[in-house]
Amino acid sequence: MVPEPFEIVVKRRDTTDTWTFELEPRSGEPLQFAAGQFTMLSAGGAGEVPISISGDPDRPERLVHTVRAVGLATRAICDADPGRVLGVRGPFGTAWPVDEVRGMDVVIGAGGIGLAPLRPALMSLLARREGYGRLVLMYGGRSPDQLLYPDELADWADRGFEVLVTVDSAGPEWLGHVGVVTRLVRRAELDWTATAAMLCGPEVMMRFMVAALVDQGAQGENIYASMERNMQCGIGHCGHCQLGPTLVCRDGPVYCWSELAPWLAIREL
Amino acid sequence: MDGVHVIERNDFDALLDALTRRGYAIVGPTVRDQAIVYDEIASSADLPAGWTDEQEAGHYRLRRREDEALFGYAVGPHSWKQYQLPAEVKLWRARVDQDGGLSNVTEPPRESPRYAFLGARSCELHAVGILDRVLLGGSHPDPADAGRTKDLFIVAVQCGEAGGTCFCVSMKTGPVAERGFDLALTEVLEEHRHYFVVEVGSERGADVLADVPHGEAVEEDRTAAGAVHARTASQMGRELDVTEIKELLYRNYDHPRWEEVAERCLTCGNCTMVCPTCFCTTVEDVTDLAGEHVERHQRWDSCFTVDYSGIHDGAVRGSAKSRYRQWMTHKLATWHDQFGTSGCVGCGRCITWCPVGIDLTEEAAAIRESEEGPK
Ligand SMILES: Cc1cc2nc3c(=O)[nH]c(=O)nc-3n(C[C@H](O)[C@H](O)[C@H](O)COP(=O)(O)OP(=O)(O)OC[C@H]3O[C@@H](n4cnc5c(N)ncnc54)[C@H](O)[C@@H]3O)c2cc1C
Ligand code: SF4
Ligand code: SF4
Ligand code: FES
């Protein structure tokens, strides 16, 4: 339960409330991880919270996290500057099925901060670009200035991702889509029965996204989602992350939708 | 290891001495604040001789027995959980540097005594096993958890009478402990004789017994012990039909009964505190006044609080209904999928210690009856 010390070497502001950190382990031992996994991250004595790894799994020398300041623990992390040491435990949890969906078209569906946990999957897919059919990113943000990784979005588009971005609201200078991310599903003409989807965002957004995908003909067993629940330990001991018969820290956060769907139909599960 | 033996009541303290000599810290039942609780035991004078407990839904009272039985009660509000997973544990301590970073992160020394649990019931042995499975059986066992019950010595006591809220027979966890102990005692009280029939469950148990005056059990002793076991099994205060109970509850997440029980439930969490298998914990960082040191503490938590399921945009389980349902379905259904065993051993504590007398056996039966008709 004792966290490992990792030093902040780079801190980059993404949006008004979100920062990306590159961390180096004091031990010199890189943290090997699979796309989709998370760590339990803490700054000082302000609590420990689950944060997905947002870096490239092929380059684990630096641990990358993108954190949105929403409360006590995340604000303390976002207040930390380069040179500061953060506490890290992990990596924990299940991974995006990057290898399993080889040969298929792949939709990455992200809402808000949900792009961060998907970034490692995106990078892995691009690194093995020839192994997949069409790659489509559908990304919804609140407004243009709240979009994560704007430079990378362009780079991903250059390297073979169809990048579709939509925002809830925008000024006249925004030339992209306005509206909910589910609208993008209808726009993309894919061979839906042979398409896999990986989703992360607010739970309602994922529910609507799944409904739209299934409506187009996508199969529940090809849809994966990363779930959020309260987490106190990350290692299956504290009980907080229960989602029906599963523990999100152990059996998730990445789930196959067809296994989850009956449980998510129950209110306040 | 074979054979059944007898220790007379007058020699009972020799058993405690033998354990003490081997370096065990003996914890067992004692009377405090009008309840039988677990604490360190120095001699048989600390045991609840002549006391029994009267238990019903929302009701617990000590009563004098007509004899001087040492173990003539069922179970109290404590369980061995408090030694496996103490209510509060210091995880680590660190210095807070000028810039707010932490250094010198150290774990507290693991200096748990070697415990001997005296008086563990069959259901409790099952509970100890279930908790071990949760804490140590996954892919991230915590050495601190493992250390606390390493070399545990267990003196089980076969129940001489069932409590009013017991249902171990339904859960197949009792009343007779068949394994998982070093020694198991059946207390027999006859008009002119008070003795214990002893089964040996391990080499260590045999070694301890060798140090205690004892005799071989004769046919009558075995019969007397058998009669105690049979009597207890026939006295269960409660019953729970566990036939496909997981499937039953999985089908009934929207049952109106959850609303009804929620109208009575105070969401106080008593049931989770007294349950020998409820393992939920939360962590809190505690800073000293000068702000120079911080400690991370882990303490028992309860799924009955709103914060338990809180994520930054609100609680997943806001209503009392969803929280009671979470607790009961966890104990009886989802635990099977999560850990490959039931989360309930039928000890009845949650029924006894619920201030409004909510009874999970009654709740499960109501749901079953709505599908199958009354039994
Ligand atoms: C698997 C997973 C991956 C995540 N990945 C990211 C990510 O990459 N980037 C990101 O910005 N956010 C991520 N989150 C969300 C992030 O963990 C929460 O925003 C954070 O826990 C909020 O804590 P807080 O103390 O700042 O907020 P507060 O609102 O102050 O929290 C209040 C209290 O609730 C508790 N709490 C609130 N949410 C959670 C939670 N999810 N788990 C445990 N306790 C909680 C805190 O412990 C605190 O005591 C992820 C969550 C999960 C489960
Ligand atoms: S749920 Fe109740 S009866 Fe079952 S083990 Fe826990 S306290 Fe005992
Ligand atoms: S069931 Fe009883 S003991 Fe449990 S939370 Fe409700 S009122 Fe409290
Ligand atoms: S976070 Fe503690 S059990 Fe999953």
Side-chain angles (χ1 to χ4, degrees):
Chain A
M1 293 297 276
V2 177
E4 289 289 324
F6 277 65
E7 186 180 322
I8 302 174
V9 287
V10 175
K11 178 183 185 183
R12 194 175 58 238
R13 185 168 197 153
D14 293 309
T15 71
T16 47
D17 60 4
T18 305
W19 284 262
T20 293
F21 296 89
E22 294 181 20
L23 310 168
E24 279 182 355
R26 275 279 161 85
S27 68
E29 246 341 90
L31 199 72
Q32 305 284 347
F33 70 99
Q37 288 192 298
F38 66 93
T39 74
M40 294 299 287
L41 194 63
S42 53
E48 192 181 41
V49 286
I51 302 290
S52 296
I53 302 173
S54 65
D56 186 345
D58 293 331
R59 301 177 60 197
E61 305 80 56
R62 282 189 181 173
L63 173 65
V64 184
H65 279 306
T66 303
V67 186
R68 181 166 162 232
V70 296
L72 200 66
T74 48
R75 206 160 290 138
I77 294 166
C78 289
D79 281 346
D81 290 319
R84 263 280 295 272
V85 169
L86 299 183
V88 174
R89 292 190 302 119
F92 302 125
T94 55
W96 296 112
V98 173
D99 293 330
E100 291 83 337
V101 302
R102 265 177 178 277
M104 300 180 80
D105 291 348
V106 183
V107 168
I108 300 276
I113 185 76
L115 183 57
L118 281 162
R119 187 167 172 254
L122 238 140
M123 291 171 144
S124 294
L125 291 168
L126 276 177
R128 299 155 187 80
R129 179 68 194 87
E130 67 294 345
Y132 302 92
R134 283 171 64 189
L135 298 178
V136 184
L137 169 63
M138 302 181 186
Y139 177 32
R142 276 173 296 166
S143 56
D145 64 334
Q146 296 296 321
L147 295 173
L148 295 180
Y149 322 126
D151 301 342
E152 282 172 80
L153 291 175
D155 175 54
W156 293 337
D158 287 344
R159 291 165 58 203
F161 242 99
E162 297 166 49
V163 176
L164 307 175
V165 180
T166 183
V167 293
D168 295 339
S169 61
E173 69 289 350
W174 172 252
L175 302 175
H177 301 287
V178 176
V180 291
V181 66
T182 45
R183 295 250 290 270
L184 299 174
V185 173
R186 262 164 254 138
R187 241 175 260 270
E189 284 164 7
L190 284 149
D191 174 7
W192 290 106
T193 53
T195 298
M198 304 182 197
L199 313 177
C200 187
E203 204 166 307
V204 276
M205 166 259 166
M206 294 196 280
R207 286 167 188 268
F208 280 113
M209 192 84 183
V210 170
L213 289 165
V214 170
D215 197 44
Q216 295 293 315
Q219 310 289 309
E221 62 264 33
N222 293 329
I223 301 175
Y224 296 82
S226 182
M227 302 303 296
E228 178 175 358
R229 283 295 180 270
N230 188 307
M231 292 189 177
Q232 300 293 320
C233 75
I235 55 174
H237 292 180
C238 78
H240 282 257
C241 67
Q242 286 178 73
L243 200 175
T246 74
L247 300 172
V248 176
C249 70
R250 180 190 75 183
D251 308 310
V254 177
Y255 289 88
C256 179
W257 191 264
S258 53
E259 285 157 27
L260 216 50
W263 296 100
L264 291 182
I266 301 164
R267 287 196 56 209
E268 292 195 300
L269 182 73
Chain B
M1 293 201 349
D2 266 0
V4 181
H5 314 267
V6 167
I7 300 178
E8 298 297 329
R9 164 66 182 92
N10 289 339
D11 295 321
F12 189 79
D13 278 282
L15 171 61
L16 305 189
D17 295 342
L19 289 168
T20 307
R21 268 199 303 283
R22 283 166 178 74
Y24 289 106
I26 305 171
V27 285
T30 194
V31 174
R32 195 199 304 146
D33 299 335
Q34 288 148 52
I36 293 169
V37 298
Y38 293 147
D39 205 343
E40 302 228 350
I41 298 296
S43 78
S44 67
D46 294 334
L47 298 172
W51 287 104
T52 191
D53 47 7
E54 219 175 73
Q55 301 198 39
E56 252 315 312
H59 174 87
Y60 177 93
R61 200 171 65 189
L62 289 191
R63 193 165 39 79
R64 288 301 313 186
R65 294 174 59 92
E66 306 197 328
D67 57 32
E68 286 299 306
L70 299 182
F71 301 97
Y73 60 91
V75 288
H78 283 182
S79 72
W80 307 103
K81 171 169 89 171
Q82 68 198 59
Y83 299 97
Q84 284 178 286
L85 180 68
E88 176 144 1
V89 173
K90 214 180 281 177
L91 296 176
W92 49 259
R93 177 183 169 84
R95 207 178 66 216
V96 183
D97 297 329
Q98 290 278 300
D99 64 358
L102 300 183
S103 56
N104 287 352
V105 184
T106 48
E107 281 184 276
R110 298 203 187 107
E111 53 198 12
S112 245
R114 284 165 76 215
Y115 287 119
F117 290 174
L118 171 64
R121 310 296 182 159
S122 180
C123 66
E124 298 191 300
L125 297 184
H126 284 265
V128 167
I130 291 170
L131 206 49
D132 265 350
R133 195 150 165 167
V134 170
L135 296 176
L136 308 175
S139 39
H140 303 280
D142 185 338
D145 290 332
R148 263 178 239 122
T149 50
K150 192 162 57 74
D151 295 330
L152 183 63
F153 191 98
I154 292 181
V155 184
V157 169
Q158 311 291 19
C159 288
E161 61 188 70
T165 55
C166 289
F167 56 104
C168 62
V169 168
S170 300
M171 303 313 291
K172 299 184 178 63
T173 55
V176 182
E178 279 156 4
R179 66 187 76 83
F181 52 78
D182 296 291
L183 294 172
L185 316 178
T186 302
E187 185 170 27
V188 184
L189 292 121
E190 290 165 356
E191 214 180 322
H192 300 293
R193 191 175 166 215
H194 183 178
Y195 64 103
F196 298 88
V197 176
V198 185
E199 291 157 81
V200 176
S202 71
E203 297 288 348
R204 289 190 308 169
D207 172 62
V208 168
L209 182 66
D211 239 9
V212 182
H214 68 278
E216 294 311 304
V218 296
E219 189 59 33
E220 290 87 78
D221 300 333
R222 292 166 187 261
T223 311
V228 169
H229 304 164
R231 190 181 63 218
T232 306
S234 71
Q235 281 176 340
M236 290 290 123
R238 293 287 189 282
E239 197 184 340
L240 175 65
D241 181 356
V242 294
T243 317
E244 295 193 1
I245 191 153
K246 184 180 99 173
E247 292 74 10
L248 174 77
L249 294 176
Y250 281 6
R251 281 195 300 274
N252 283 290
Y253 271 85
D254 291 323
H255 199 283
R257 186 78 191 188
W258 301 118
E259 291 283 5
E260 290 167 35
V261 67
E263 279 169 24
R264 292 187 290 143
C265 176
L266 312 173
T267 65
C268 64
N270 269 13
C271 47
T272 56
M273 297 294 117
V274 294
C275 178
T277 66
C278 272
F279 60 84
C280 287
T281 52
T282 186
V283 290
E284 192 188 13
D285 289 351
V286 184
T287 314
D288 62 9
L289 281 178
E292 287 166 357
H293 292 94
V294 60
E295 289 181 350
R296 183 161 293 163
H297 292 204
Q298 168 190 290
R299 59 173 80 93
W300 287 356
D301 199 5
S302 172
C303 56
F304 281 91
T305 70
V306 177
D307 287 350
Y308 177 91
S309 67
I311 49 179
H312 81 273
D313 52 358
V316 174
R317 288 176 219 107
S319 69
K321 166 192 148 182
S322 66
R323 282 176 269 144
Y324 184 84
R325 184 180 66 184
Q326 161 63 28
W327 178 72
M328 192 176 119
T329 53
H330 191 214
K331 301 268 80 168
L332 299 176
T334 51
W335 205 297
H336 285 279
D337 281 329
Q338 291 171 5
F339 303 108
T341 147
S342 171
C344 174
V345 299
C347 72
R349 286 180 176 88
C350 56
I351 307 171
T352 299
W353 295 95
C354 173
V356 295
I358 291 172
D359 175 345
L360 82 169
T361 65
E362 202 178 297
E363 296 310 309
I367 290 175
R368 190 180 290 280
E369 275 181 23
S370 71
E371 282 196 353
E372 300 169 5
K375 277 224 294 193

